Every structure is written in structure tokens, then in C-alpha cells.
Amino acid sequence: MTVAEILILVGLVIVAGLLVAVLVRMRGNGDGNHVERLERELRQELQSSAQATRQELSSHLAQYHNATVQQLDSMRQQMQLHSSSGREEQARALKRFADTLQQTLGNLTESNAQRMLEVRTTLETKIRDLQTDNAKRLEEMRQTVDEKLHATLETRLSESFRQVSERLEKVHQGLGEMQQLAIGVGDLKRVLTNVKTRGTWGEVQLEMLLEQVLTVEQYAKNVETVAGSNARVEFAIKLPGVVDGGAPLWLPIDAKFPKEQYERLLAAADVADADGVARAGAELERAVRSEARTICDKYVSPPQTTDFAILFLPTEGLYAEVMRRPGLADDLQRTLRVTIAGPSTLAALLNSLQMGFRTLALEKRSSEVWQVLGAVKTEFTKFGDVLATTKLTLEKAAKNIENAEVRSRQMARKLKSVEALPSEAAQLMLGPDGLERDD
């Protein structure tokens, strides 16, 4: 169906609508029968016209469909022809492009091969030149390095030999010192082997501790603590007696060193000999008990002495071994009234006694302090009077100084109009030492 036919159909529809509107209006005016007849005729006419129009439209649509199918077939055939011709043309173009590309690649391959050959030749030449130059430079560097290494090696070897010689000399000196030390250790061993000399060593250590903590007046050496017994303890501490200014109360301290038993105990412990450790421990315990009994019998005699004495062991290891014996220290302190002390324990005990001495001295001096305070109070009253007099004198002097300052300011105002002389002229007129002469 063409556009004109569609416009004709639209016009017929519009005319039919107008006729329907006219019939409706005529029906409203009252001529009903005539209008109904016209309406029926018009409806029949419209139906017949619509039927004819539908038939015509159907026929036109069928013709349009057939024409469209024919056009599509012709277009399909044309497209097939065009596509087949395009494929052939494209195949020919691709073949021409492939031939051209293959020829170009061949030319490029030949050109690259020729250039690579030239580059290889150039590189080989440059590499040979570089190798020759590098070999020459390496030879020069080797010679320079050999010379420097030789000089450095000689310097270092000389320095190393010198240091080694110095150190060997120091080692030789150290060996000599070690020999002297070994001789000294042997002498010390011989000293400690002798019971009398070993006891002297313990006494020296005990005396050093007493000297470090107490004063000379607070202890004594080789004291006969029990009158008439002729038994003298190595050291005794002076404690205040019952009567002020009377005989002191002595605290005996004796140094003992059971070295053989202790060394046997250490040797057995080193080889893990349990039986040997037990035997050596029992021997050490018997030796300590024997020494404690001797101290108790000879040196403890209240009221001339304290009711206990101190057994000093000069080494911490020996003291620790004795203290670790179960119940030994308590038994000696309870039955024999002897206290075991090592270097650190004795130092702590002496410090405690020193504090006690200081407290006692303060108590004795308390009355003197009160008397001094009373005298100071009396003198302080007199000092207050003197201080009041001094205050009045100072106030009077301050007032005189203030008056002098006022007079000085007045004189300065009066002298403002007077011209000042140069310093040299003033010194000539008044003299350089005028102030001193005036004084």
C-alpha cells in the first residue's frame, strides 16, 4: 500500500465520522424516523465501504508482500554476487600483500645479514684491540701492584716482626713474673703448711679487720682475760665494765685455721668421693669442736669476760663449710659458748659493737651536753643585750650616713656652676695621694 492510498483511507474515515456526528445532531432535533433510516443506510453504506476497503487493503498488502519478497530475493542475489566478487578481490589483494611482504622480508633478511656481518667484523676488530690494550694495562698494573705489594709486605713484615719481638719480650718478662709468683705461691704454701705461721696469718687478717672498724682504745692484743692463768688470747674487745672507770669487760676473739681437714674435704668433693667427703667433714667438725673447747676453757671466765667468745675463721669458704655442718654452730654456741665468725660476719659484728660504743659515749656525754647548753643559755641572754646595743649604734651610724649624703647632694648642687679642672691639674693642685694624707 502506497502513501496516497493510506491518505484516502484516512479521509474516508474522517468523512464517516462527520456523517455520524450529523446524524447524532439530527436525532437531537426530533426527526427520529428519518434519522434512523438515514443511520441504517449510512451504517450499511459504511459496512459495505469498509468491507470493500478491507478487501482492497488485503489485496494491496498481498501485492506489497509479494513485491517485498521479490525485492529481498533480488537483493540477496546481488549481495551474494557482491560478496563473492569481494572475496575474490580480497583474496587477490591478500596474495599481492603476501608476495610483497615476503619480498620485503627477504630483502630485509639479506640486509640484516650483511649488516650483522659488518658489525661482527667491527666487533672482532674492536675486541682484539681492547684485549691488546687490556693486556698491556694489566701488565702495567701487575708490575705496579707487585712493586707496592713488595714494599708494603716488607714494611708490614718488619712491623709485625717488631711487634712479635716486643710481645715475646713482654711474654718473657711475664714468664719471669710468673716464676716469681710461683716462688711466692710456694712460699705461701710453706707458710700455710706450718701451723704456727698459718695461725699468724689468721691473726694478721683478724687484726686488719679490727683496725678498720674499731679504734685502738676499743680492743687489745695478747690479753690475759683470766687473771693468773697465763693464757693470753690473740685479741679481745674492751666492753664497759660494771663500775664506771673500773676494769673493762673483755670479749675474747681467737683466730683458727684447720687447713688440712678443709683441703682434704675439697679434694674429696672434686673427685666426687662421697665417703671421703664424709670422713673429711667429720675430721673438720672434730677440729673445730676441739678449738672451740680450748677457747672456752682458756679465755672465757665471767665476770672478767663475757659469757661467750668468738672463733674467727680467716676464709669465707672455710666459714661456709663449717656453718653448713648440721647443728655444729648451734651446739658450739649452746654448750661451749663459742660463736663462729667469718670475715664478713665478724665485720658486721664489729660494726654493731661500734654503734653500741657510740651510743654509750653519747649517754655518758649527755650530762655534759646539758651543762654546756645551760652555759650557752646564760651567755645567750648577755648576747641579746650586746646585740641590742649594737643595733642602736648601727642605727645611729646609718642616720649619720644619711645626713652626710644629704649634705653631699646639697654641695653637689652648689658646685654645678663651677667649671671642673682637668684631672692632671686637679692632681697637681690636690696631690695624687690627697685622700690618703687626709685619712
Side-chain angles (χ1 to χ4, degrees):
M1 181 181 289
T2 61
V3 177
E5 294 174 350
I6 293 172
L7 292 175
I8 292 170
L9 288 174
V10 172
L12 290 174
V13 172
I14 293 172
V15 170
L18 293 174
L19 289 174
V20 171
V22 170
L23 289 175
V24 171
R25 183 176 296 177
M26 288 176 65
R27 180 181 292 180
N29 292 328
D31 194 1
N33 296 323
H34 183 67
V35 171
E36 289 179 356
R37 190 179 68 249
L38 290 175
E39 184 178 359
R40 282 193 301 271
E41 292 176 358
L42 181 61
R43 185 179 295 112
Q44 292 176 0
E45 184 69 23
L46 287 174
Q47 289 178 356
S48 61
S49 176
Q51 186 176 5
T53 302
R54 282 195 298 272
Q55 292 176 357
E56 187 177 0
L57 285 174
S58 299
S59 63
H60 282 296
L61 287 174
Q63 293 176 2
Y64 180 74
H65 179 69
N66 294 328
T68 303
V69 170
Q70 292 177 0
Q71 289 178 0
L72 288 174
D73 290 337
S74 63
M75 288 176 66
R76 187 182 298 109
Q77 292 175 1
Q78 290 178 2
M79 288 178 66
Q80 289 178 354
L81 292 174
H82 284 296
S83 63
S84 61
S85 63
R87 283 196 297 272
E88 292 176 358
E89 183 66 26
Q90 185 178 5
R92 288 193 295 272
L94 287 174
K95 186 175 183 303
R96 288 195 299 271
F97 178 75
D99 295 338
T100 304
L101 182 61
Q102 185 175 4
Q103 185 178 1
T104 304
L105 287 175
N107 297 332
L108 184 61
T109 303
E110 293 178 358
S111 177
N112 287 335
Q114 186 175 359
R115 289 183 179 180
M116 287 295 293
L117 181 61
E118 294 176 356
V119 169
R120 187 181 297 109
T121 306
T122 305
L123 283 176
E124 289 177 355
T125 305
K126 295 291 185 182
I127 288 172
R128 282 196 297 271
D129 296 339
L130 184 61
Q131 287 177 349
T132 304
D133 186 61
N134 287 338
K136 186 185 298 183
R137 291 180 180 274
L138 285 174
E139 182 65 23
E140 294 176 356
M141 291 173 62
R142 186 183 64 78
Q143 293 178 358
T144 305
V145 169
D146 288 341
E147 293 176 357
K148 291 185 177 180
L149 281 177
H150 184 68
T152 305
L153 185 60
E154 287 184 353
T155 305
R156 294 286 180 86
L157 286 176
S158 301
E159 184 68 21
S160 300
F161 280 125
R162 185 182 63 80
Q163 292 179 359
V164 169
S165 300
E166 292 178 355
R167 291 180 181 179
L168 286 175
E169 185 177 357
K170 291 180 180 179
V171 169
H172 183 68
Q173 293 177 358
L175 288 175
E177 294 176 358
M178 290 291 291
Q179 290 176 357
Q180 295 295 328
L181 182 61
I183 294 172
V185 171
D187 294 339
L188 179 61
K189 186 174 181 180
R190 286 194 297 271
V191 168
L192 295 180
T193 304
N194 189 347
V195 177
K196 182 176 179 61
T197 319
R198 188 195 317 157
T200 304
W201 180 70
E203 292 179 9
V204 170
Q205 190 173 3
L206 177 57
E207 185 175 6
M208 290 173 61
L209 284 174
L210 292 172
E211 287 179 354
Q212 291 175 1
V213 180
L214 302 178
T215 62
V216 180
E217 294 80 10
Q218 291 174 347
Y219 70 95
K221 186 177 182 180
N222 295 325
V223 181
E224 187 180 0
T225 55
V226 181
S229 64
N230 201 21
R232 296 183 177 274
V233 70
E234 294 172 354
F235 292 94
I237 299 176
K238 292 181 182 180
L239 298 177
V242 180
V243 181
D244 291 339
L249 183 67
W250 297 105
L251 172 58
I253 302 177
D254 196 8
K256 300 297 180 182
F257 192 10
K259 175 177 174 294
E260 291 82 2
Q261 295 84 355
Y262 181 58
E263 287 183 349
R264 283 197 290 270
L265 177 63
L266 294 179
D270 290 338
V271 297
D273 185 5
D275 296 335
V277 169
R279 287 194 302 271
E283 291 178 2
L284 178 62
E285 185 173 345
R286 283 195 299 271
V288 172
R289 287 182 182 275
S290 176
E291 298 293 347
R293 186 173 292 105
T294 301
I295 292 173
C296 179
D297 295 340
K298 288 184 178 182
Y299 309 129
V300 179
S301 179
Q304 300 176 16
T305 66
T306 57
D307 60 347
F308 71 97
I310 297 176
L311 192 155
F312 175 69
L313 300 176
T315 62
E316 292 291 347
L318 178 59
Y319 170 73
E321 185 61 36
V322 171
M323 292 301 295
R324 67 186 290 268
R325 310 304 300 176
L328 176 59
D330 294 337
D331 186 40
L332 294 179
Q333 191 171 7
R334 185 177 62 256
T335 58
L336 300 177
R337 294 174 295 172
V338 174
T339 301
I340 306 297
S344 58
T345 310
L346 182 61
L349 178 61
L350 294 178
N351 284 319
S352 301
L353 291 175
Q354 181 67 16
M355 293 299 297
F357 289 149
R358 291 177 182 176
T359 304
L360 183 61
L362 288 175
E363 291 178 356
K364 287 183 178 180
R365 296 294 179 124
S366 61
S367 59
E368 298 178 3
V369 170
W370 280 110
Q371 292 177 1
V372 172
L373 288 176
V376 169
K377 184 176 180 180
T378 303
E379 292 296 328
F380 190 76
T381 304
K382 297 178 181 180
F383 177 73
D385 298 336
V386 174
L387 187 61
T389 305
T390 305
K391 181 180 179 183
L392 294 174
T393 305
L394 290 175
E395 289 177 352
K396 185 177 180 180
K399 187 175 182 181
N400 292 334
I401 292 171
E402 185 177 357
N403 294 331
E405 288 180 350
V406 172
R407 298 297 298 172
S408 175
R409 287 195 294 271
Q410 290 177 357
M411 287 186 291
R413 284 196 297 270
K414 296 295 183 181
L415 292 173
K416 282 183 179 179
S417 60
V418 179
E419 185 178 357
L421 291 175
S423 59
E424 291 83 0
Q427 288 181 1
L428 290 174
M429 182 175 290
L430 299 176
D433 298 329
L435 294 176
E436 295 181 359
R437 288 198 300 270
D438 292 340
D439 295 339

